[in-house]
Amino acid sequence: APSLACSQTMGEMTMRIDIATLFPEMCERVLSESIIGRARQRGYIELACHQIRDYTTNRQKQVDDYPYGGGPGMVMQAQPIYDCCVDVIRQMEEAGHARPHVVFMTAAGTPLTEEKCKQLAQKDSLLLVCGHYEGIDERVYTLADHVISLGDYVLTSGELASMVVIDAAVRKLPGVLGAAEGPVDESFTSGLLEYPQYTRPADFRGMAVPEVLTSGNHA
């Protein structure tokens, strides 16, 4: 992770996020931009990616194999993922961090909700594990504190899902969005979607902003 310019106010802690992945460059590129990128620069989060292939025990750096019982596609092997997670947890504990809350991304997990994002945002540290191919050897899930799904559809890799989880959780951290009312006034915060929004011009292609919003009565 890059050096952090810590600009938090007193009492605010830096959240540590680690990602076990086959595509660290993909994660870094996305998580260095926009709100998450600024949160990293300002020291609200510390983020590091770990290449799962570095933990293989074969010269080919192979991380997948054919599934027992047959079937199409390949399955990620247990050993590289397990050893990667155990090493990250060890590094965290040696550095004085709390044991990370380990999150696996899979279609069989519990659906991601706003409430779950709030819970994750309250953790001192997270370790997100990104699956690929046809899935992960089931035995690795013994390390999981939580297994999350984004919904009933298939993604190319767990990296995409992990970045969604990180974005949704980090924006809940105090100070990340700037304006104090920012996270409070967002969709789902009160269980409802946000109301329709408009900006200038007042008339666009014959579609006018509702009169109540231009009346000057803010209530």
Side-chain angles (χ1 to χ4, degrees), residues 117-167:
C117 293
K118 291 178 183 177
Q119 294 173 12
L120 293 177
Q122 294 171 1
K123 304 296 181 183
D124 293 326
S125 55
L126 299 174
L127 170 55
L128 287 91
V129 183
C130 305
H132 213 263
Y133 310 114
E134 290 300 311
I136 295 174
D137 188 308
E138 188 71 17
R139 292 167 290 187
V140 189
Y141 289 109
T142 56
L143 292 172
D145 294 306
H146 210 86
V147 183
I148 292 177
S149 168
L150 291 191
D152 295 333
Y153 52 87
V154 178
L155 291 173
T156 302
S157 70
E159 282 76 15
L160 297 170
S162 292
M163 287 183 282
V164 169
V165 171
I166 292 170
D167 184 273

Side-chain angles (χ1 to χ4, degrees), residues 40-161:
R40 295 178 70 180
Q41 293 173 355
R42 295 168 182 169
Y44 291 108
I45 62 171
E46 182 182 353
L47 192 146
C49 295
H50 306 269
Q51 173 57 264
I52 295 172
R53 290 190 191 278
D54 291 343
Y55 293 86
T56 55
T57 56
N58 58 79
R59 282 192 284 179
Q60 295 78 22
K61 297 291 184 182
Q62 181 180 344
V63 296
D64 62 321
D65 207 342
Y66 295 104
Y68 277 112
M74 306 289 278
V75 175
M76 290 188 72
Q77 296 170 301
Q79 176 270 316
I81 300 175
Y82 190 94
D83 288 355
C84 178
C85 291
V86 169
D87 190 45
V88 171
I89 292 171
R90 177 191 59 78
Q91 292 179 40
M92 295 284 287
E93 292 175 341
E94 289 182 355
H97 292 284
R99 183 190 185 281
H101 188 78
V102 181
V103 178
F104 279 73
M105 306 302 305
T106 175
T110 58
L112 182 67
T113 63
E114 185 73 0
E115 183 58 34
K116 176 53 61 180
C117 293
K118 291 178 183 177
Q119 294 173 12
L120 293 177
Q122 294 171 1
K123 304 296 181 183
D124 293 326
S125 55
L126 299 174
L127 170 55
L128 287 91
V129 183
C130 305
H132 213 263
Y133 310 114
E134 290 300 311
I136 295 174
D137 188 308
E138 188 71 17
R139 292 167 290 187
V140 189
Y141 289 109
T142 56
L143 292 172
D145 294 306
H146 210 86
V147 183
I148 292 177
S149 168
L150 291 191
D152 295 333
Y153 52 87
V154 178
L155 291 173
T156 302
S157 70
E159 282 76 15
L160 297 170

Side-chain angles (χ1 to χ4, degrees), residues 113-115 118 172 183-194:
T113 63
E114 185 73 0
E115 183 58 34
K118 291 178 183 177
K172 302 283 183 290
V184 176
D185 204 30
E186 289 189 310
S187 296
F188 303 114
T189 301
S190 61
L192 300 173
L193 291 171
E194 209 167 355

